[in-house]
Amino acid sequence: MAPQKNVKRVTTHVLQEMKQRGVRISMLTAYDYSMARLVDGAGTDVILVGDSASNVMAGHETTLPITLDQMIYHAGSVVRGVERALVVVDLPFGTYQGNSKGALNSAIRIMKESGAHAVKLEGGREVIGSVERILTAGIPVMGHLGLTPQSIYKFGTYVVRAQEEAEARRLREDAKLLEEAGCFALVLEKIPAVLAGEVARSVQIPVIGIGAGSEVDGQVLVLHDMLGINTEFNPRFLRRYADLHEVITSAVTRYIADVRARSFPNEQEQY
Ligand code: KIV
């Protein structure tokens, strides 16, 4: 058995208690060991190995191309850097839709090969069979409704979802269905704040928002966006907590200048 570190881990049960006590849950993405250590060390409650790795790590335009093997690689790297946070891993596009047995196999591979603590998948009623099947193996499942990026070609645009009553009603129903199926938490992405607050109050499980206002139980952002590494992505909901684009560009520029000027390495920096 691995040695126990002296840290109280965040579990799905802890998140449930946080909702009950009205303590907001912080969630951020991470895709590698070094960033995961920083994000976990700072005290983030949940680390999401998001399929946004497809965008920010691999440079794809959408989340669709990332594979299960690639997600497992990212997830394993993150898990090795985390002592406290709950690590949730996205099931990538094509590994769970329309085939609950396939979904279970994908989730089992993630848990077994990466050591993560839970999986997340996108969709409502159409993926309930997959949610239920994954839960039979004792794997915690987080749902994701609203703007679900794996369906971008169906939506055709990244605009706010569920602004019309029909879509809002469907989302409310899907949230209930996911809760009844046994999801331990839900992500709501880019929907009106009033609707998100209503959903958060209507379910017992924690609801984590991104572009879903402040009346939910927690917030999630993509790490590279909130650190200002990506400067091209500027949605209204994004608050930038750093300008790492500037910090990194300046450091690299000074390094190049020092190399050209032969001032690096100096006497003390060599053997
Ligand atoms: O992949 C991801 O980063 C996500 C978050 C935006 C919630 O699903």
Side-chain angles (χ1 to χ4, degrees), residues 62-73:
T62 72
T63 57
L64 277 66
I66 200 159
T67 66
L68 185 58
D69 284 338
Q70 289 165 342
M71 289 301 296
I72 290 169
Y73 167 78

Side-chain angles (χ1 to χ4, degrees), residues 27-31 48-56 63 71 90 120 122 142 144 147-150 187-189 208-210 220-223 225 237:
M27 172 159 138
L28 282 171
T29 65
Y31 317 100
L48 173 66
V49 184
D51 59 358
S52 49
S54 180
N55 310 108
V56 297
T63 57
M71 289 301 296
D90 264 334
K120 174 165 88 55
E122 296 181 6
M142 177 181 269
H144 185 159
L147 177 63
T148 44
Q150 292 179 13
V187 166
L188 293 182
E189 181 164 353
I208 318 281
I210 173 165
V220 55
L221 285 175
V222 169
L223 186 68
D225 298 337
F237 67 76

Side-chain angles (χ1 to χ4, degrees), residues 4-270:
Q4 290 292 304
K5 303 236 173 71
N6 195 19
V7 176
K8 187 174 185 300
R9 293 212 75 118
V10 178
T11 61
T12 57
H13 185 68
V14 167
L15 298 179
Q16 182 67 60
E17 279 175 1
M18 287 173 79
K19 170 159 180 146
Q20 278 157 7
R21 287 189 285 122
V23 180
R24 292 290 199 251
I25 297 163
S26 60
M27 172 159 138
L28 282 171
T29 65
Y31 317 100
D32 66 83
Y33 170 79
S34 302
M35 285 294 191
R37 280 193 73 176
L38 287 169
V39 171
D40 183 56
T44 312
D45 301 310
V46 183
I47 297 187
L48 173 66
V49 184
D51 59 358
S52 49
S54 180
N55 310 108
V56 297
M57 299 304 284
H60 292 297
E61 211 173 295
T62 72
T63 57
L64 277 66
I66 200 159
T67 66
L68 185 58
D69 284 338
Q70 289 165 342
M71 289 301 296
I72 290 169
Y73 167 78
H74 287 296
S77 307
V78 167
V79 166
R80 287 188 289 277
V82 170
E83 287 185 9
R84 175 182 171 271
L86 184 86
V87 179
V88 181
V89 182
D90 264 334
L91 281 166
F93 176 69
T95 66
Y96 62 94
Q97 295 97 335
N99 175 358
S100 66
K101 188 161 188 292
L104 176 60
N105 290 339
S106 308
I108 287 177
R109 277 202 61 202
I110 287 177
M111 303 295 283
K112 225 180 168 64
E113 296 177 39
S114 76
H117 313 129
V119 298
K120 174 165 88 55
L121 48 72
E122 296 181 6
R125 61 201 71 189
E126 65 283 6
V127 296
I128 290 294
S130 294
V131 171
E132 287 170 345
R133 190 94 177 237
I134 294 169
L135 282 162
T136 63
I139 300 172
V141 181
M142 177 181 269
H144 185 159
L145 296 170
L147 177 63
T148 44
Q150 292 179 13
S151 302
I152 188 56
Y153 291 116
K154 182 177 85 179
F155 298 143
T157 155
Y158 285 98
V159 294
V160 181
R161 302 306 313 175
Q163 299 191 82
E164 306 297 331
E165 183 45 33
E167 194 176 331
R169 190 179 329 115
R170 189 180 166 93
L171 188 142
R172 284 188 207 99
E173 290 168 4
D174 281 348
K176 276 278 179 206
L177 286 173
L178 288 168
E179 177 181 41
E180 281 159 19
C183 282
F184 73 91
L186 283 183
V187 166
L188 293 182
E189 181 164 353
K190 216 168 176 187
I191 63 167
V194 171
L195 173 62
E198 198 188 308
V199 171
R201 286 186 293 276
S202 75
V203 295
Q204 303 305 308
I205 55 176
V207 172
I208 318 281
I210 173 165
S214 60
E215 294 305 308
V216 287
D217 306 302
Q219 299 291 329
V220 55
L221 285 175
V222 169
L223 186 68
H224 289 57
D225 298 337
M226 64 86 82
L227 291 180
I229 297 175
N230 288 342
T231 50
E232 304 85 30
F233 185 61
N234 288 302
R236 173 178 172 157
F237 67 76
L238 175 62
R239 184 179 296 179
R240 282 195 209 291
Y241 287 85
D243 185 356
L244 287 200
H245 181 271
E246 168 56 27
V247 171
I248 293 172
T249 305
S250 157
V252 174
T253 308
R254 285 187 286 116
Y255 165 73
I256 294 167
D258 288 353
V259 170
R260 295 226 169 111
R262 303 179 184 208
S263 64
F264 174 78
N266 63 22
E267 288 279 306
Q268 287 73 48
E269 290 162 335
Q270 52 192 302

